[in-house]
Amino acid sequence: MQLGVNVPNFGPGTDPGVLREWARVTEGLGFDLLMVSDHVAVTPDVAERYPEPFHEPFTTLSWLAGLTTKLRLGTTVLVLPYRHPLLVARMAANLDRLSGGRFVLGVGVGWARQEFDALGVPFTERGRLTDECLGTLRDAWRTPAADGGNSDVHVPVWVGGHSEAAIRRTIRFGDAWHPLRLPLPLMRSVLRSHEVPGFAPRIALRLTTTPVDTPERPVGVGTLDQVLDDLDQLRLLGADTVVLDPYHGDPEETRRPQEAWRALTAVATHGRTPQ
């Protein structure tokens, strides 16, 4: 099982120097994957959670591809209805080719109604639009030279969400189900009820000095032993990759990434699961 990191590409403390250091730390600790988030128009509903500056994911990952050598690079998640699918197909294929086949396209339907309005995309149609986009991506990538080269494109597609529609979308179009911060029992239930093509969850990462014993303890929150046990449980559920998300919702956290780096160091030092 591989481990990835969800890196904040937004917030008052995030600048090129910090992003460069995030990449250095993530690759230096031996993690396998670095992922970033997506928003196009930072409307008030977005800014409340993810304030400016918000670095556009394709631009950011293209830059980071030149600063790294082994890390896979991905989106968690790209909001597919925000862009024309042929543009997404070309950008994803180009990034994959320029990075040496290291790109992972995590996708979702989106949640920010004001952002949809600002972009002129109907919010209530986002599920249907996402399905149409995924179909167009697959068709475009089957066309030779879609990435500017001479061969078909093989970009892994991870599909976010946990509704029945999202699971159907994963099975129809995806290479992996990519749930975001779901409780372990819910993930286990979905996996028992559906045969998904792959499993690559994103979970929280918050280390505590004493055990968290509440029934609603989120996966990835607790002592190092608890978090390592969570990772082992996910491995037993068949996870191919687990993405650790050390951001906890306070934009001021982006000014002090050292706290997240210490938690990642602890996991990397003590918790590498068998490959």
Side-chain angles (χ1 to χ4, degrees):
M1 186 177 77
Q2 296 192 333
L3 293 179
V5 179
N6 183 30
V7 168
N9 54 318
F10 55 83
T14 302
D15 58 25
V18 170
L19 286 169
R20 185 186 297 112
E21 191 65 9
W22 266 107
R24 187 194 68 79
V25 168
T26 301
E27 188 165 58
L29 288 173
F31 287 97
D32 306 287
L33 171 66
L34 181 156
M35 305 192 90
V36 297
S37 302
D38 177 40
H39 283 287
V40 174
V42 185
T43 48
D45 51 350
V46 174
E48 185 176 351
R49 302 187 192 184
Y50 312 109
E52 296 275 21
F54 201 111
H55 299 276
E56 195 279 327
F58 282 109
T59 308
T60 302
L61 294 174
S62 296
W63 177 60
L64 292 177
L67 299 176
T68 57
T69 58
K70 298 179 181 179
L71 275 176
R72 289 192 295 162
L73 304 161
T75 53
T76 178
V77 289
L78 193 82
V79 184
L80 269 188
Y82 286 170
R83 301 169 181 85
H84 194 287
L86 291 179
L87 176 62
V88 174
R90 177 54 59 95
M91 290 193 296
N94 285 173
L95 178 49
D96 188 62
R97 184 174 178 82
L98 292 170
S99 67
R102 291 189 282 146
F103 184 54
V104 178
L105 181 64
V107 302
V109 302
W111 57 269
R113 183 183 289 269
Q114 293 174 13
E115 188 174 21
F116 274 85
D117 292 343
L119 295 170
V121 180
F123 181 78
T124 57
E125 296 294 316
R126 65 194 189 281
R128 177 185 62 80
L129 291 171
T130 298
D131 288 345
E132 291 179 359
C133 288
L134 285 167
T136 300
L137 288 179
R138 291 301 192 193
D139 290 341
W141 287 341
R142 282 193 288 265
T143 303
D147 64 345
N150 299 313
S151 60
D152 291 351
V153 179
H154 303 284
V155 176
V157 175
W158 294 359
V159 180
H162 59 279
S163 66
E164 283 298 320
I167 301 304
R168 290 195 299 269
R169 186 173 298 120
T170 300
I171 295 169
R172 182 179 178 188
F173 297 109
D175 297 291
W177 179 43
H178 183 50
L180 311 181
R181 290 178 173 244
L182 287 188
L184 189 63
L186 180 53
M187 289 188 280
R188 184 179 289 115
S189 175
V190 169
L191 292 169
R192 286 175 176 172
S193 304
H194 300 84
E195 187 173 344
V196 297
F199 179 42
R202 189 179 96 195
I203 66 171
L205 176 61
R206 175 181 285 176
L207 297 183
T208 61
T209 56
T210 58
V212 179
D213 295 324
T214 58
E216 63 274 13
R217 180 184 71 88
V219 181
V221 175
T223 63
L224 180 59
D225 285 342
Q226 286 181 302
V227 172
L228 297 182
D229 183 68
D230 290 338
L231 292 174
D232 193 50
Q233 293 300 314
L234 292 170
R235 180 182 60 81
L236 293 174
L237 284 177
D240 307 298
T241 305
V242 176
V243 180
L244 303 173
D245 185 354
Y247 178 70
H248 306 298
D250 179 4
E252 289 300 311
E253 293 176 40
T254 62
R255 298 187 189 273
R256 46 181 190 276
Q258 295 81 6
E259 294 181 18
W261 296 343
R262 283 192 289 270
L264 291 167
T265 299
V267 173
T269 303
H270 301 287
R272 292 300 304 189
T273 54
Q275 299 291 312

